Amino acid sequence: MFTRSSVALAALLMLGAAPLAQAADKPTDPQIAHIAYTAGTIDIEAAKLAIEKSKTKEVVDFANDMVRDHEAVNKQALDLVKKLNVTPEDNATSQALAKAAAEERGKLAKLDGAAFDKAYVENEVAYHKQVNGALETLLIPSASNAELKSLLETGLKIFQGHQQHAEHVAGSLK
């Protein structure tokens, strides 16, 4: 059941990252767990940068929401893999996500003021759109374990709300 595959999710790219090739194999549950946790960690790190750099209340409030919600979902994911005695499996998708996120954080770190706020929030809109798409079209349908699938579905609902919130914040910055 837990076969190795080299799935890469084009839908999980950070804004501006080069497209990843998508393999024919679907990800296994341990790979899905690693991808989902990695995606959440990426958003937490981006939000912490925004909290540190932004002086705009709405952006900082949004970033604090991202830290709170993604840390909560990641904790639920860790609790679930522990309960199921499953070890999340590092994979090409998680590695590509981490690399793209580091590049994006590097770009954001060079910006200040309104330019930072705009770039951060636009990235959040794009990132949540892409993560939500990947959850809907690949991760949730590929999950074998019912509890993992349920956690991903709950995450999708939360992250759809994040996308709407990010779009609202982006609109207020223009």
Side-chain angles (χ1 to χ4, degrees):
M1 179 169 128
F2 297 130
T3 61
R4 245 183 123 71
S5 86
S6 59
V7 174
L9 305 174
L12 279 178
L13 296 174
M14 294 296 291
L15 185 64
L20 298 174
Q22 186 167 350
D25 295 337
K26 70 179 189 171
T28 63
D29 285 358
Q31 290 170 335
I32 291 168
H34 199 281
I35 292 164
Y37 187 85
T38 299
T41 300
I42 286 167
D43 210 30
I44 292 166
E45 291 169 357
K48 286 181 177 179
L49 180 63
I51 293 165
E52 176 187 316
K53 290 189 67 86
S54 183
K55 306 289 185 247
T56 306
K57 182 181 182 336
E58 194 170 15
V59 172
V60 173
D61 289 348
F62 172 78
N64 278 315
D65 288 349
M66 295 306 97
V67 170
R68 180 197 64 225
D69 292 354
H70 285 283
E71 283 181 346
V73 171
N74 274 3
K75 182 186 179 319
Q76 290 176 337
L78 289 176
D79 290 347
L80 178 60
V81 296
K82 185 177 178 181
K83 174 186 169 189
L84 300 175
N85 198 26
V86 171
T87 301
E89 182 181 320
D90 193 8
N91 56 79
T93 299
S94 294
Q95 293 164 9
L97 287 170
K99 181 175 186 254
E103 291 170 6
E104 185 64 26
R105 270 192 316 279
K107 291 176 192 174
L108 289 172
K110 294 176 186 173
L111 301 174
D112 289 304
F116 172 84
D117 290 346
K118 184 175 187 298
Y120 166 69
V121 173
E122 286 176 355
N123 186 65
E124 285 295 297
V125 170
Y127 189 63
H128 281 93
K129 273 185 192 176
Q130 293 161 342
V131 168
N132 292 341
L135 281 164
E136 286 178 310
T137 63
L138 185 64
L139 298 180
I140 292 170
S142 297
S144 316
N145 180 279
E147 289 177 275
L148 175 60
K149 189 179 290 265
S150 176
L151 179 60
L152 294 171
E153 290 168 344
T154 298
L156 175 59
K157 289 176 187 155
I158 293 167
F159 306 148
Q160 287 169 333
H162 288 175
Q163 180 183 332
Q164 291 174 343
H165 189 181
E167 289 167 349
H168 172 76
V169 174
S172 74
L173 293 176
K174 293 183 179 180

